Amino acid sequence: MKFYLLITLITTQYLFALVSIAPVEIGEKPGFSNSIETSLETTRGNTDTDSYKASLRTTYDNNTSYIVWAEVSGAYGKASGEENTNKLFSHIRYIHALTDETLRAELFAQLQNDKFRQINSRALGGAGLRFKLFDLLKNGKGYFGAGIFYENIRYENPIIDPTEDNVRVNSYFSYAIEFNKTSSAAYTLYYQPKVDDFSDNVQSHELELKLNIYQNLFLKFSLSYNTDSEPPLGVKKYDFTQNTSFIFNF
């Protein structure tokens, strides 16, 4: 009971990284399924810190022709009483089968903010195709995606950083492997340049390892490295994150 109360408390206050970066496939889990991811850190004494991260995903798989999933997540943190993390993220994606196994169509929309990257809001919507490439190893699956999306970015200080309206290419590579029924690993690379200026691009690298603890409870280790070639004034071009969290599937 305490475990469920803790998850509820976190998810209702500060909803970050995706529950899992592994690509979903039609027919893997027919019907509705849900996942909650959460992590927290509190220290007192010589160092005072509070860090909360949580994510909730719900998925519907009709088992034949399409799958749709939606997610809301976020992170919040303080160090020595000063806020150092405050961001929210939501995403919805519809995937439709064009061939039995190889080709999928995707529609997606996203809304996010990040106070410490000076982003008041970033809204985007787009479409693309996903190709299943190969199975290098047993129980492994590789994918390449390509598409296009429109984004609107409003910054915290519009006088210094005016609102942006961009059209970007959306390209990604993803590989996931299940070592057994209790552990898996995945890697995803995103490359998103502006259609009219490839020097203005956003990239992300994400790596995760999931280990089963007990029944539907998993421990996840993740690394992410994100870059923005044209960040807002005073914001660094890169972010590196290492995180350990728990995932509960139901």
Side-chain angles (χ1 to χ4, degrees):
M1 178 61 70
K2 291 182 179 179
F3 176 74
Y4 288 108
L5 288 175
L6 179 60
I7 289 177
T8 302
L9 176 64
I10 295 172
T11 56
T12 54
Q13 292 188 55
Y14 303 105
L15 292 174
F16 179 69
L18 296 173
V19 168
S20 177
I21 62 172
V24 297
E25 189 56 271
I26 297 168
E28 288 186 344
K29 292 183 179 180
F32 283 99
S33 60
N34 302 280
S35 297
I36 290 176
E37 176 181 350
T38 183
S39 67
L40 60 88
E41 178 185 3
T42 299
T43 64
R44 293 293 184 270
N46 294 312
T47 303
D48 290 344
T49 62
D50 297 283
S51 179
Y52 309 94
K53 298 179 182 180
S55 183
L56 171 65
R57 177 189 285 193
T58 185
T59 304
Y60 177 73
D61 179 356
N62 85 332
N63 199 34
T64 56
S65 59
Y66 73 89
I67 188 169
V68 59
W69 60 267
E71 179 160 334
V72 58
S73 55
Y76 182 82
K78 286 184 176 182
S80 300
E82 296 292 329
E83 189 178 71
N84 59 12
T85 305
N86 189 336
K87 52 188 172 182
L88 292 169
F89 173 93
S90 60
H91 186 95
I92 185 168
R93 184 171 296 247
Y94 172 81
I95 303 172
H96 191 89
L98 299 180
T99 65
D100 287 343
E101 293 186 5
T102 306
L103 187 60
R104 304 284 185 262
E106 298 183 311
L107 297 173
F108 54 90
Q110 184 172 301
L111 180 64
Q112 66 187 107
N113 69 359
D114 190 333
K115 180 177 179 180
F116 289 87
R117 291 180 60 206
Q118 303 298 316
I119 298 175
N120 185 55
S121 69
R122 178 178 183 243
L124 64 87
L129 296 174
R130 189 183 78 179
F131 307 86
K132 188 174 183 179
L133 297 177
F134 48 73
D135 295 330
L136 283 178
L137 301 171
K138 185 179 180 181
N139 299 322
K141 49 189 178 182
Y143 298 89
F144 172 75
I148 196 167
F149 67 88
Y150 161 80
E151 70 173 355
N152 172 267
I153 307 176
R154 298 178 182 273
Y155 295 103
E156 295 281 350
N157 191 334
I159 297 177
I160 298 176
D161 298 294
T163 297
E164 292 186 21
D165 291 284
N166 303 316
V167 178
R168 292 185 181 272
V169 174
N170 182 51
S171 61
Y172 67 88
F173 167 77
S174 181
Y175 190 81
I177 182 171
E178 292 186 0
F179 300 114
N180 48 52
K181 292 184 178 180
T182 62
S183 62
S184 63
Y187 167 76
T188 297
L189 163 66
Y190 273 91
Y191 176 61
Q192 299 172 327
K194 289 176 64 173
V195 169
D196 57 350
D197 183 7
F198 270 49
S199 66
D200 185 338
N201 62 78
V202 177
Q203 298 182 44
S204 70
H205 302 262
E206 297 182 74
L207 179 67
E208 72 172 30
L209 173 66
K210 286 173 57 180
L211 303 174
N212 183 249
I213 298 175
Y214 177 72
Q215 293 185 348
N216 295 326
L217 183 63
F218 293 80
L219 180 65
K220 190 180 89 169
F221 304 94
S222 63
L223 297 173
S224 68
Y225 180 75
N226 305 313
T227 64
D228 183 349
S229 64
E230 300 291 339
L233 186 67
V235 175
K236 292 183 178 181
K237 292 186 176 183
Y238 72 91
D239 283 295
F240 173 80
T241 304
Q242 180 278 324
N243 187 53
T244 303
S245 56
F246 291 97
I247 297 176
F248 181 70
N249 297 327
F250 60 100

